[in-house]
Amino acid sequence: MILGELVETFTTTVINWIRTLGLLGVFLGVIIESVIIPIPSPLIMMGAGFILLSPDLGITAAIIQLLLIAVVGAFASTLGSYIGYGIGYYGGRPAIQKYKWLFGVSVEELDIMQNKFEARPGAIPGIIFTLRAIPIIPLSVMSFIFGVLRIRVEKFTIWTFLGALPRCFSLAALGWIVGRTYAGLAEAIDFFETITLVAIVVIIVAYIVYKKKFSDRLLHKIEETV
């Protein structure tokens, strides 16, 4: 209950920032959502589209303003993503090394995955861009994973920003189009983002359990042959 009230308070505060500070409010709101408070991520950009754009605005003027909102949102989102990326980059592998039994993957296997990425450098931009552009993909989790895989920071930065642009633009445009009902739609999008996060966790846990059982069976067969 307390957490829900806290999130609601910060959400209201961020929306008020957008009303009073404009694009600066958008920037601060996205930073807070990315780094500190679990505010529904679509809410800020959709709120910005609703608040900062007049419903009577012409399409050309609307596109220009939406682009400005998207650039500010993408810049803030990129800065905020460094937190998850940094945790994964500097803390992910030591944790995996120490708790290999828990994660079901070794540092050596991560090195193999990293080498595969480096052998196909053209695939990395497309993966980062796509995962950033889709509104229902949880950004913090992806930032952490890219950090663990030690994706080069310049590639991570460039393609995180470029991928966040269409995400922010489309969400702001939705807020402008749907008007006062944007909050309900933002919550629906956030719900699907949560479902995606749960699915990712389930897949990871299933992989760990499967790999552990496979390893135990293999070890048992080796012991039988010996």
Side-chain angles (χ1 to χ4, degrees):
M1 180 69 71
I2 295 176
L3 179 59
E5 292 176 355
L6 185 63
V7 171
E8 185 177 351
T9 299
F10 272 96
T11 301
T12 303
T13 300
V14 169
I15 295 300
N16 287 333
W17 284 351
I18 295 173
R19 294 183 189 279
T20 56
L21 302 176
L23 291 176
L24 178 58
V26 175
F27 176 82
L28 294 174
V30 174
I31 287 289
I32 289 177
E33 178 272 321
S34 301
V35 180
I36 305 174
I37 302 298
I39 299 171
S41 58
L43 188 64
I44 298 171
M45 299 311 303
M46 293 181 71
F50 168 68
I51 294 168
L52 300 181
L53 275 72
S54 168
D56 301 324
L57 203 61
I59 187 65
T60 302
I63 289 175
I64 293 173
Q65 294 219 28
L66 288 170
L67 284 173
L68 288 174
I69 294 172
V71 168
V72 171
F75 180 62
S77 180
T78 302
L79 291 180
S81 70
Y82 286 141
I83 301 298
Y85 177 83
I87 293 173
Y89 193 97
Y90 293 106
R93 294 194 176 213
I96 290 172
Q97 181 70 40
K98 187 174 182 179
Y99 303 105
K100 175 183 173 182
W101 59 271
L102 177 62
F103 290 98
V105 65
S106 66
V107 172
E108 291 74 21
E109 289 171 316
L110 287 176
D111 289 335
I112 292 173
M113 293 174 64
Q114 183 180 353
N115 291 333
K116 287 182 178 180
F117 273 118
E118 292 176 352
R120 300 178 60 189
I124 296 175
I127 292 172
I128 298 176
F129 178 87
T130 301
L131 293 177
R132 288 291 174 185
I134 300 174
I136 63 171
I137 300 296
L139 299 181
S140 299
V141 175
M142 292 298 104
S143 297
F144 176 79
I145 292 174
F146 292 138
V148 171
L149 293 175
R150 299 281 174 90
I151 302 298
R152 291 174 60 182
V153 66
E154 60 270 24
K155 282 190 175 182
F156 173 79
T157 300
I158 292 170
W159 291 101
T160 289
F161 176 77
L162 293 177
L165 280 174
R167 181 189 186 113
C168 292
F169 183 92
S170 60
L171 289 173
L174 275 175
W176 177 56
I177 292 169
V178 302
R180 294 186 178 277
T181 60
Y182 77 90
L185 182 56
E187 290 178 0
I189 296 174
D190 184 66
F191 172 77
F192 283 107
E193 183 176 321
T194 303
I195 293 297
T196 304
L197 175 60
V198 171
I200 292 173
V201 172
V202 169
I203 290 171
I204 292 174
V205 171
Y207 168 77
I208 292 172
V209 171
Y210 169 79
K211 188 174 180 183
K212 183 172 177 52
K213 286 187 176 181
F214 179 79
S215 299
D216 291 343
R217 288 176 184 174
L218 183 61
L219 181 62
H220 181 67
K221 287 184 178 180
I222 292 174
E223 289 175 348
E224 286 181 343
T225 55
V226 172

